[in-house]
Amino acid sequence: MGLSFTSLLFETVNFLILVWVLSRFVYRPLKKSLAERRAADERLRVEAEAKRDEATRALEEMREKHKELGELRERVMREAAEDAAAMRARLLAEAKDDTAAARAQGERLLDSEREEARAAVRDLAIRESTHIAARLLAELSPRALDDALVEQLARAVPEHDLRRDGAGRRVSEIELRFARPPAPEAVTRLRKAFADALDADPTIATRQDPALVAGVVATIGEHVLDASIAGNLTALAARARALSEGEGEGATDG
């Protein structure tokens, strides 16, 4: 059975049509899709490398700040110790020929100045620590930290009686200070919490205060509810100072 020229031509045309259809509707879209996929993968890889480099730089900066704080603390303590030693030597030299009462007075003065030096070192270390912590948090704190602080404030609202101010008047206006522009759902969450606490829908004014570092501060009449990093750092510094002073007094009494 021979192959006629007409059949060969028909088969050839069919084959070419099939090749064109596959190229037009299968190969080209598939090639385009693969190219787009490769481009998307490349963008994700570049973004991942950029975020990794950023995290590495932030970690190095944190380590450097920690090292600087340690060196500063050691230098201040060394200088304070040297000053105290020099003062002690001078006072002892001056009081050598004095009466027992004068020597006792010199010892008391030395103890007082030593305690002042310790207090100065503690205050300096606390101030530097909170300052560095605030700077690091300002650079690294994510939006999730703001959301957590907003939720903390919302949960704390029911613990306070906010319905009336000090003059007995009903409270209806609230000011919210945010460290960064607030998300609408954050304002909605706080509005609901205050509405439940006040038994009424309050008027809420918002403004931005970058000094808070992260979080929010609410002012309701004379009440101030602080759920910010700056407020927490201030409270932490005060607590650390109080504990240090307490330990100092205990050592003196002993």
Side-chain angles (χ1 to χ4, degrees), residues 31-47:
K31 182 179 179 181
K32 180 180 179 182
S33 176
L34 290 175
E36 291 175 350
R37 179 62 180 272
R38 284 195 295 269
D41 290 343
E42 180 64 18
R43 286 196 301 272
L44 290 176
R45 185 187 66 79
V46 171
E47 292 176 359

Side-chain angles (χ1 to χ4, degrees), residues 22-23 39 61 71 88 96-97 101 109 126 133 148 159 166-167 171 179 181 184-185 223 225 236 244 246 251:
L22 290 176
S23 175
E61 291 178 3
E71 293 175 351
R88 180 184 178 87
K96 186 175 181 180
D97 298 329
L109 177 61
I126 291 171
E159 301 175 4
V171 174
E185 53 268 23
H223 301 286
L225 304 183
L236 178 61
S244 298

